[in-house]
Amino acid sequence: MPVKEKPDTSQTMSFWEHLDVMRGYLLRMAVVILALFLVAFCFKGLLFDVVLAPRDGGFITYRLINRVAASLGLEPMPPFSVELINTGLAGQFVAHMKVAFYAALLCASPFVLYMAFRFVSPALYARERHYALRVMPGAFVMFMVGLLLGYFVIFPLTFRFLGTYHVSGEVSNLISLQSYISTFVMMSLLMGLLFELPVLCWLLARMGLLTAPAMCRYRRHAIVAILILSAVITPTSDAFTLALVALPVYLLYELSIVIVKRVG
């Protein structure tokens, strides 16, 4: 496919004209995000049913684990339910606002990516636009896969372990709503970003900056880096949470090696 020159319109537009175009795109993004925020804010019950589901022993992940344990003749996980408390006067309202905004931002992310592509596409070569159109859907899908893994596996098991952990029978756990939501959002977001590793490796391989033999040669270094990164991003320092994060990232690294080989 021959490389085409950049359109003349992108070269002749002044700085203020570019700024005006960018303002139009930003306004559209803000309108969509605001509309979705209002919708999410109105459906408070449904929104928090989803967010607070992992704190109860009836969550789907725990039920699946119990079914697998029963089929193997093992003891099921004991039932549990962690009570959440609010420690501030406006804490619950602020938490409602935050969760509604995060939900709106997530739902609007495809439109935001599309608007960002529309803004920068006139300045791209045809080959660059072709790569961008291939990368953006893949990056969004991988982010959602990481987000779902964090929601259904990483966060529930981490919360169950830490929420029911006791140093003494005389000390009870009272988890604040703010702590729950901040940990939930942070772990989900980080898992979504970590799942962008194959997309990043694909881009670097297309640019000729990364090869499969180099990734295999530095596999041990990558494992050490993954462990250090997992230790930094996990909210606690226990080995259980570290393993929950490090294992999927290592599997993504192996998947990235396969992708880079195919590119090569």
Side-chain angles (χ1 to χ4, degrees), residues 145-203:
V145 170
L147 202 69
L148 292 175
L149 180 66
Y151 177 75
F152 284 105
V153 180
I154 306 299
F155 179 76
L157 296 180
T158 302
F159 180 76
R160 184 186 180 99
F161 174 76
L162 299 178
T164 58
Y165 186 83
H166 292 85
V167 295
S168 172
E170 299 179 357
V171 181
S172 59
N173 288 332
L174 292 177
I175 312 299
S176 69
L177 177 64
Q178 293 77 14
S179 174
Y180 177 93
I181 291 177
S182 61
T183 305
F184 174 82
V185 172
M186 183 190 68
M187 294 196 71
S188 300
L189 179 61
L190 288 176
M191 289 306 301
L193 293 178
L194 287 175
F195 266 68
E196 299 296 334
L197 179 62
V199 178
L200 178 61
C201 290
W202 181 85
L203 279 175

Side-chain angles (χ1 to χ4, degrees), residues 14-241:
S14 66
F15 170 78
W16 297 109
E17 289 173 330
H18 278 293
L19 192 62
D20 188 59
V21 172
M22 182 178 67
R23 182 176 57 183
Y25 284 121
L26 291 176
L27 181 61
R28 296 177 196 175
M29 295 179 193
V31 169
V32 171
I33 294 174
L34 178 60
L36 291 174
F37 168 78
L38 294 176
V39 172
F41 190 85
C42 292
F43 287 90
K44 178 180 65 174
L46 178 61
L47 184 64
F48 277 88
D49 283 344
V50 174
V51 173
L52 301 180
R55 74 179 182 88
D56 188 75
F59 188 56
I60 183 172
T61 302
Y62 309 136
R63 289 190 277 112
L64 289 176
I65 293 176
N66 287 335
R67 289 181 183 178
V68 173
S71 64
L72 297 177
L74 303 175
E75 289 291 331
M77 300 174 68
F80 88 107
S81 180
V82 177
E83 181 182 359
L84 299 180
I85 62 172
N86 175 52
T87 58
L89 179 62
Q92 295 202 46
F93 179 75
V94 173
H96 185 191
M97 296 278 289
K98 287 182 178 180
V99 174
F101 174 75
Y102 294 145
L105 198 59
L106 178 63
C107 295
S109 56
F111 180 77
V112 171
L113 288 174
Y114 174 69
M115 288 291 100
F117 174 76
R118 284 282 304 272
F119 176 70
V120 302
S121 60
L124 301 177
Y125 291 105
R127 186 180 182 86
E128 294 170 339
R129 286 195 296 270
H130 174 70
Y131 283 149
L133 288 174
R134 293 181 62 183
V135 167
M136 289 174 60
F140 179 75
V141 170
M142 292 302 297
F143 181 83
M144 292 303 299
V145 170
L147 202 69
L148 292 175
L149 180 66
Y151 177 75
F152 284 105
V153 180
I154 306 299
F155 179 76
L157 296 180
T158 302
F159 180 76
R160 184 186 180 99
F161 174 76
L162 299 178
T164 58
Y165 186 83
H166 292 85
V167 295
S168 172
E170 299 179 357
V171 181
S172 59
N173 288 332
L174 292 177
I175 312 299
S176 69
L177 177 64
Q178 293 77 14
S179 174
Y180 177 93
I181 291 177
S182 61
T183 305
F184 174 82
V185 172
M186 183 190 68
M187 294 196 71
S188 300
L189 179 61
L190 288 176
M191 289 306 301
L193 293 178
L194 287 175
F195 266 68
E196 299 296 334
L197 179 62
V199 178
L200 178 61
C201 290
W202 181 85
L203 279 175
L204 294 176
R206 279 291 182 183
M207 297 169 62
L209 301 176
L210 188 64
T211 61
M215 295 184 69
C216 294
R217 185 165 61 250
Y218 291 101
R219 180 183 277 111
R220 294 181 180 179
H221 301 78
I223 293 175
V224 175
I226 289 171
L227 291 174
I228 294 175
L229 178 64
S230 301
V232 171
I233 66 177
T234 48
T236 61
S237 57
D238 61 283
F240 178 78
T241 309

